[in-house]
Amino acid sequence: MTELLKTVFFNKHQDLDAKIVEFGGWEMPIQYPSGIINEHMATRKKAGIFDVSHMGRLFFKGKDTLPFLQHVLTNNAMALEPGESQYTLIQNENGGAIDDAYLYRFKPDEYLLVVNASNREKDVAHFEKHLKLFSDIKMVDRTFDMAMISLQGPLSKTIIEEIVTGGVLPEPARNCLGIVDISGVEACLARTGYTGEPLGFEFFVENEHAVFIWDLLMEKGAVPIGLGARDTLRLEAGLPLYGHELGVDHDGSEIPLFASRLSKFAVSFSPLKGNFIGKDALYRQYLAFKNIMDQKFEDISHLPKMVMPLAITGKGIAREGYKVFSKDRHVGYITSGTMIPYQEPEGSGLNSEFKESPKRRSVSLALVDSSILEGEILEIQIRKKQCDSIVVPYHMSSEAPPFVRSIPHNQLKAVKQAGDDQTYPELARQLVSKALNNHTWRQKECINLIPSEMSQSYLSRLLSISDPVNRYAEHKELKAFFGEDVFYYQGTEFIREVEHRLNREFQTFLGCRNIESRVISGQMANTAFFSALVDFLNRTDRKKEQRRLRKIINNHIIKGGHLSAQPMGALRDFVARDPKTEKAAVINFPVLKDNPYKIDIHACKAIIKEHQPELVILGKSMIIHKEPVAEIRSLVDEFAPGCLVMYDMAHVLGLYGPHFQKPLKEGAHIVTGSTHKTYFGTQRGVIASDFNEDEMEYGLWEAVQRRTFPGSVSNHHLGTMTGLLFSAYEMNHFKEDYQKAVISNAKTFAVALKELGLSVAGDPDISFTDTHQVILNVGYGKGAKTARELEENNIIVNYQATPVEEGFTASGALRMGVSEMTRFGMKETDFQELAGLMADLINNGATIKNEIKKFREQFIDMQFCFKEADVQDGGISLPGSLK
């Protein structure tokens, strides 16, 4: 018999009293003394460390590496930039799996392919056969001189941060890579793993340093996990395993690759791949997969069965090979199945906590007829009995980092609250009472520090509910009437005047020629502009399908970018797919390593030169610095002429001017914004430009007007437009003192928090902010909890993920703004006092609710606004106060 192989950690496993078994030709730990259940839960609750050095590690270098990988793998290797990885498959000509694998590009000139231990020799032989077709490529098998460690679970990031001494962690998204230094040892670090954990890392390190890294991770709290729990974890996550969900089925037939739903991410038909192995067979599977997703089962012969998750609802445990029936019809087999533990939450949403003792449930994956639908009841033959199961979409979710959320089959949908049996008059009285209580609480008892919110003045609110609220005033410029606006409704003379005056006030405020004020939100302003730009770019050919924007540069949402400027937001329908990456054609601004809240201008030069964007979108929702408008415009003009520069000023529109910045004067072609944040008006939006009528780009402005009406609005909320005009008068009258006060208060607030020992983000040389915003770091994953504690003490803030965190559920910061409370009269000394109260709560757990209520009593009357007396001189009589 061939002697079994041992990883560099074998002695460690023995020292830890692991149960050793043969796996793929290696002696590996199947479990440790605590057992598989405890190891599973340790990974889900803390951090598990796995020896995965038995996996094959194949390195490829040479000029023909990319063509070779495109030929022998299913995914699009050309999509990988240095610092990225992807799941892929090694396919045969029939569209079946030789193996599944992961492809990493840590360095520009080298690719690493990780394959399954039991398939390594077969994979190498397959590659060697095809390497003969390529002249300049070298494959090196480094399985035996390089170790691989997996660290998975919610504490994994914290542990790694404690041991990394140089370099930076990979970007906070799956499949991102980095090279770090750990006490003089270079380690390649990937955000990958086989557990479904939203926080998971894999280390690649030379054997001579591997035990040192293992010991460091163990010292910091990592729990050793064997192959048994690795299997239960991947099964809960619904991840396929070669030999079970991939390979050959229980009837001896080859399982098509698309039987696994992950294949839709691992198979690419990009023209950049050329005629790769198995392309035709895989494309036939893909067409069948499309039909199955559309529930069209007439032509699915190339994909007769699919792997589906089953939750066992009867008594029993489904094991591999058990038959599955739909009534009396045999429809397939269990491919993987066992009993797994899971954490049961107590409470709802972000306020929930996991119960201490785990529950257990029986789950499986099954290869069954493709016509079977989610929700169907199937029977599993367990020995001589039939056990009920249900087809489910998944067993767990990892979309709320840092924790996995198990989803039992009976909790797939939120429980609906039962309706009450109160009468409508009772409900109406209750609503009025609660609304009045809420109004009092928010306006007189709380300190509001949410930077995207602003209270209107009393008179602005009063005008917003006056007639013409609920009226219509659609209108459009017609050339037949020499560009005059024609209104389609009668009774609109007043609103015509309001809109005309509002546009004029914005022209004054922004110092520009063109204003579109009919959009009713900042998001709609962006949508209307993106639509207009697509319309403008397609102006020469109205017969063909409109092409989308070919390339855009923006601020990534995790780096503070606006949601509306993301492919998931308003940009979605207007940006093309990049043929190389097969994703939305969006490139994100690089940021400074020592200040991720600021764009790296030097790095932008190469990006703009290479990608030739048609649109650059500046502006953020987490913004503490001025945007580099002039610098970006200069680079655009030099390297991408014709590209437009847009600045979404949603958060900072009210600061437009000499105390902050004037983007239209600095080179922005278009400014959009919300009119209810630092700009203290009603909840609406605005689009602005300074194009002259004799410029070519004025055609773009005409497209903006068309895509606003009739493109985006019909009723453009005339009541809030009336209120906004009043607010515009207030803004233009008070802006000098208001803007100075906001920025001064923000700087003072930030410095005070810092001096009280709290962690304030930003540059201390500018007192941490140039805007109304202050960003306070409170600890990874503690943002929502801290925000809730502050709310319980009448301070309203916004928890926020920082640029190094995975998403809002993992947020470790508070995003705060001073603009509303500045308008209620708070000055620098007041924000210093507020900082002290907040520090007492955050640092010491103090209860400060009564102090905050008393503190707020000083700031009830709004400043920087017109009072009733200012408008009553003409004998105007106002109704009862809304204050």
Side-chain angles (χ1 to χ4, degrees):
M1 289 180 64
T2 304
E3 184 178 351
L4 293 177
L5 301 167
K6 296 180 176 67
T7 76
V8 71
F9 304 112
F10 182 76
N11 291 338
K12 285 288 176 185
H13 303 319
Q14 287 187 316
D15 293 342
L16 291 165
D17 200 21
K19 181 181 179 181
I20 305 294
V21 299
E22 185 277 332
F23 184 83
W26 296 73
E27 291 193 75
M28 296 296 295
I30 189 72
Q31 67 180 72
Y32 296 87
S34 64
I36 292 173
I37 295 294
N38 288 328
E39 291 172 31
H40 183 114
M41 293 311 300
T43 305
R44 293 288 186 237
K45 295 169 74 172
K46 298 177 182 177
I49 181 173
F50 303 73
D51 174 10
V52 288
S53 300
H54 62 305
M55 305 285 284
R57 286 170 293 291
L58 311 176
F59 285 81
F60 297 88
K61 292 186 76 171
K63 291 181 180 177
D64 286 337
T65 295
L66 197 53
F68 171 77
L69 296 174
Q70 294 287 62
H71 184 64
V72 299
L73 302 177
T74 58
N75 217 331
N76 180 13
M78 189 174 284
L80 290 185
E81 295 292 334
E84 296 178 345
S85 63
Q86 63 182 203
Y87 177 59
T88 191
L89 295 144
I90 307 170
Q91 76 284 13
N92 59 32
E93 288 288 359
N94 302 321
I98 295 171
D99 202 358
D100 64 340
Y102 237 91
L103 183 64
Y104 300 83
R105 192 181 181 192
F106 285 100
K107 300 174 181 178
D109 60 346
E110 181 180 79
Y111 292 82
L112 163 62
L113 188 71
V114 173
V115 299
N116 283 298
S118 58
N119 290 333
R120 180 182 58 83
E121 292 182 358
K122 177 181 66 172
D123 295 342
V124 167
H126 173 74
F127 290 148
E128 285 177 340
K129 183 175 74 172
H130 289 279
L131 281 168
K132 299 172 185 176
L133 304 174
F134 300 85
S135 58
D136 188 358
I137 180 172
K138 185 177 182 181
M139 178 179 67
V140 179
D141 185 350
R142 299 205 61 208
T143 303
F144 301 104
D145 51 35
M146 170 176 275
M148 186 174 172
I149 303 169
S150 184
L151 186 71
Q152 307 282 305
L155 298 184
S156 59
K157 180 179 175 181
T158 301
I159 290 173
I160 289 174
E161 286 176 333
E162 291 180 11
I163 70 168
V164 168
T165 53
V168 294
L169 297 190
E171 287 288 303
R174 185 167 178 81
N175 290 329
C176 290
L177 315 178
I179 300 177
V180 299
D181 180 270
I182 302 174
S183 300
V185 174
E186 181 182 275
C188 292
L189 188 59
R191 279 185 175 264
T192 52
Y194 193 49
T195 62
E197 283 292 327
L199 266 70
F201 298 84
E202 292 184 310
F203 293 81
F204 299 88
V205 63
E206 300 296 328
N207 274 353
E208 60 189 287
H209 305 300
V211 173
F212 166 70
I213 301 298
W214 177 279
D215 288 343
L216 271 181
L217 294 170
M218 291 278 289
E219 286 172 16
K220 298 299 181 182
V223 178
I225 312 295
L227 294 180
R230 188 168 185 254
D231 191 53
T232 61
L233 290 161
R234 74 91 193 170
L235 174 56
E236 185 180 25
L239 301 175
L241 175 63
Y242 187 86
H244 295 253
E245 289 74 40
L246 296 167
V248 177
D249 68 16
H250 286 81
D251 292 326
S253 300
E254 193 165 55
I255 301 174
L257 287 188
F258 271 89
S260 167
R261 297 195 183 201
L262 273 184
S263 294
K264 67 182 178 181
F265 304 106
V267 179
S268 167
F269 298 104
S270 166
L272 301 176
K273 281 183 64 63
N275 192 23
F276 59 91
I277 295 172
K279 178 181 178 180
D280 292 342
L282 287 170
Y283 193 70
R284 288 192 290 269
Q285 291 179 29
Y286 163 72
L287 293 177
F289 177 78
K290 262 186 88 177
N291 286 336
I292 292 165
M293 293 299 101
D294 293 335
Q295 296 186 18
K296 299 175 181 177
F297 303 117
E298 296 83 11
D299 187 13
I300 58 171
S301 59
H302 295 286
L303 194 56
K305 293 185 183 297
M306 293 281 293
V307 176
M308 299 182 188
L310 302 186
I312 314 306
T313 57
K315 290 184 177 180
I317 301 175
R319 303 292 188 187
E320 179 193 356
Y322 287 1
K323 291 182 178 181
V324 180
F325 294 86
S326 176
K327 296 180 180 175
D328 295 327
R329 184 169 61 93
H330 179 213
V331 295
Y333 293 91
I334 298 296
T335 55
S336 299
T338 191
M339 181 76 73
I340 63 168
Y342 70 97
Q343 300 179 91
E344 188 177 28
E346 196 167 35
S348 63
L350 287 170
N351 296 327
S352 62
E353 300 284 344
F354 292 115
K355 293 181 180 179
E356 188 62 31
S357 299
K359 286 192 169 185
R360 298 189 187 187
R361 57 189 173 136
S362 180
V363 300
S364 67
L365 295 174
L367 185 67
V368 295
D369 288 357
S370 298
S371 59
I372 289 172
L373 301 176
E374 181 185 315
E376 283 197 37
I377 303 299
L378 301 177
E379 295 81 39
I380 302 168
Q381 185 177 320
I382 300 179
R383 297 182 180 90
K384 295 182 179 181
K385 294 182 179 180
Q386 299 289 99
C387 179
D388 283 349
S389 67
I390 184 171
V391 180
V392 294
Y394 36 72
H395 297 307
M396 50 151 272
S397 171
S398 58
E399 67 178 355
F403 294 103
V404 157
R405 300 279 170 168
S406 296
I407 315 289
H409 69 90
N410 58 352
Q411 295 178 24
L412 282 167
K413 295 182 180 178
V415 178
K416 296 285 190 285
Q417 296 295 322
D420 53 52
D421 56 0
Q422 293 174 283
T423 66
Y424 283 111
E426 289 171 335
L427 289 170
R429 284 192 293 271
Q430 188 179 90
L431 174 60
V432 171
S433 175
K434 287 184 176 181
L436 288 172
N437 290 339
N438 178 73
H439 183 86
T440 300
W441 179 64
R442 289 299 299 263
Q443 293 287 320
K444 297 184 178 182
E445 298 176 357
C446 288
I447 298 295
N448 185 52
L449 298 177
I450 294 182
S452 55
E453 294 181 356
M454 173 63 73
S455 291
Q456 298 163 241
S457 67
Y458 161 57
L459 291 172
S460 176
R461 277 183 284 151
L462 192 64
L463 288 167
S464 295
I465 61 171
S466 69
D467 212 290
V469 69
N470 295 336
R471 307 302 185 195
Y472 275 79
E474 296 172 348
H475 62 89
K476 185 179 179 181
E477 286 186 7
L478 294 180
K479 290 182 172 60
F481 296 101
F482 311 104
E484 180 184 345
D485 264 331
V486 173
F487 281 72
Y488 301 155
Y489 285 80
Q490 302 305 118
T492 56
E493 287 304 312
F494 173 64
I495 198 61
R496 180 200 293 264
E497 180 184 353
V498 166
E499 191 171 330
H500 172 74
R501 289 182 178 275
L502 177 59
N503 290 343
R504 193 165 66 188
E505 293 305 316
F506 270 121
Q507 287 169 336
T508 299
F509 181 72
L510 298 171
C512 66
R513 297 179 180 89
N514 310 308
I515 295 293
E516 178 54 79
S517 60
R518 288 175 291 180
V519 286
I520 57 175
S521 71
Q523 172 105 348
M524 183 182 286
N526 286 353
T527 302
F529 172 67
F530 299 148
S531 177
L533 182 53
V534 168
D535 189 54
F536 180 67
L537 292 173
N538 287 276
R539 63 192 181 280
T540 59
D541 190 348
R542 298 297 189 187
K543 294 184 178 181
K544 293 180 182 176
E545 186 73 25
Q546 288 196 326
R547 76 164 180 86
R548 298 182 178 193
L549 297 167
R550 290 190 179 124
K551 195 64 70 78
I552 294 169
I553 299 179
N554 71 354
N555 288 299
H556 192 280
I557 192 166
I558 206 67
K559 299 292 193 296
H562 290 293
L563 172 63
S564 59
Q566 311 299 316
M568 72 179 78
L571 201 56
R572 178 184 177 91
D573 296 328
F574 307 107
V575 61
R577 290 261 158 181
D578 187 329
K580 178 181 175 182
T581 66
E582 299 178 270
K583 299 176 183 177
V586 173
I587 305 297
N588 301 131
F589 280 118
V591 297
L592 296 174
K593 287 184 179 179
D594 60 346
N595 186 356
Y597 297 94
K598 198 169 187 179
I599 291 173
D600 184 344
I601 289 296
H602 179 73
C604 286
K605 179 178 178 180
I607 290 175
I608 291 172
K609 190 174 182 180
E610 175 187 354
H611 291 283
Q612 296 290 297
E614 290 186 308
L615 176 64
V616 167
I617 306 174
L618 293 164
K620 299 179 180 181
S621 60
M622 188 161 56
I623 180 167
I624 54 176
H625 293 285
K626 299 171 184 175
E627 290 283 73
V629 179
E631 295 92 331
I632 292 297
R633 176 61 187 270
S634 177
L635 291 174
V636 161
D637 287 347
E638 183 175 0
F639 299 111
C643 175
L644 289 168
V645 177
M646 167 190 168
Y647 191 159
D648 181 350
M649 295 193 77
H651 272 267
V652 290
L653 184 67
L655 303 181
Y656 192 106
H659 302 292
F660 179 56
Q661 65 181 135
K662 300 179 178 181
L664 288 170
K665 304 302 180 186
E666 297 167 21
H669 296 94
I670 292 284
V671 162
T672 63
S674 306
T675 58
H676 51 272
K677 295 173 183 171
T678 50
Y679 196 97
F680 45 61
T682 56
Q683 289 189 325
R684 299 184 61 86
V686 67
I687 311 172
S689 80
D690 201 32
F691 299 133
N692 204 325
E693 290 191 24
D694 58 5
E695 293 178 300
M696 181 185 70
E697 289 86 353
Y698 193 78
L700 170 61
W701 184 252
E702 292 178 312
V704 167
Q705 293 175 306
R706 289 194 301 273
R707 299 316 300 152
T708 298
F709 176 79
S712 301
V713 295
S714 173
N715 174 5
H716 51 285
H717 294 193
L718 309 183
T720 58
M721 178 173 273
T722 312
L724 181 57
L725 174 57
F726 192 86
S727 298
Y729 290 152
E730 293 175 322
M731 177 60 77
N732 281 341
H733 184 77
F734 294 104
K735 64 181 179 183
E736 174 69 18
D737 292 338
Y738 164 74
Q739 292 175 348
K740 281 169 49 178
V742 166
I743 294 171
S744 177
N745 282 343
K747 290 177 181 290
T748 299
F749 187 41
V751 170
L753 291 166
K754 180 68 175 178
E755 290 176 347
L756 288 162
L758 295 171
S759 175
V760 180
D763 184 354
D765 290 341
I766 60 167
S767 299
F768 304 100
T769 183
D770 272 330
T771 73
H772 65 304
Q773 289 190 15
V774 175
I775 298 170
L776 182 65
N777 298 312
V778 294
Y780 180 72
K782 296 179 180 178
K785 181 176 182 291
T786 307
R788 185 170 67 250
E789 290 170 349
L790 286 164
E791 180 181 343
E792 290 167 355
N793 286 271
N794 284 24
I795 299 175
I796 313 298
V797 300
N798 190 188
Y799 64 88
Q800 183 78 38
T802 71
V804 296
E805 291 164 347
E806 293 77 16
F808 76 97
T809 56
S811 64
L814 306 178
R815 182 186 65 155
M816 301 178 290
V818 303
S819 49
E820 178 164 334
M821 296 317 301
T822 297
R823 206 157 177 238
F824 275 111
M826 283 181 62
K827 297 182 171 57
E828 293 177 359
T829 54
D830 304 312
F831 277 101
Q832 290 171 331
E833 183 177 349
L834 175 62
L837 290 168
M838 291 179 64
D840 200 18
L841 183 151
I842 295 169
N843 290 333
N844 307 318
T847 298
I848 58 171
K849 183 173 183 177
N850 291 334
E851 288 93 328
I852 291 296
K853 287 178 71 173
K854 187 173 181 180
F855 180 72
R856 177 64 201 261
E857 289 174 1
Q858 307 169 70
F859 312 109
I860 301 299
D861 294 327
M862 185 171 285
Q863 310 298 308
F864 307 109
C865 64
F866 296 126
K867 312 292 186 182
E868 292 97 315
D870 296 323
V871 301
Q872 286 178 319
D873 293 343
I876 299 173
S877 177
L878 296 175
S881 177
L882 290 175
K883 293 186 222 178

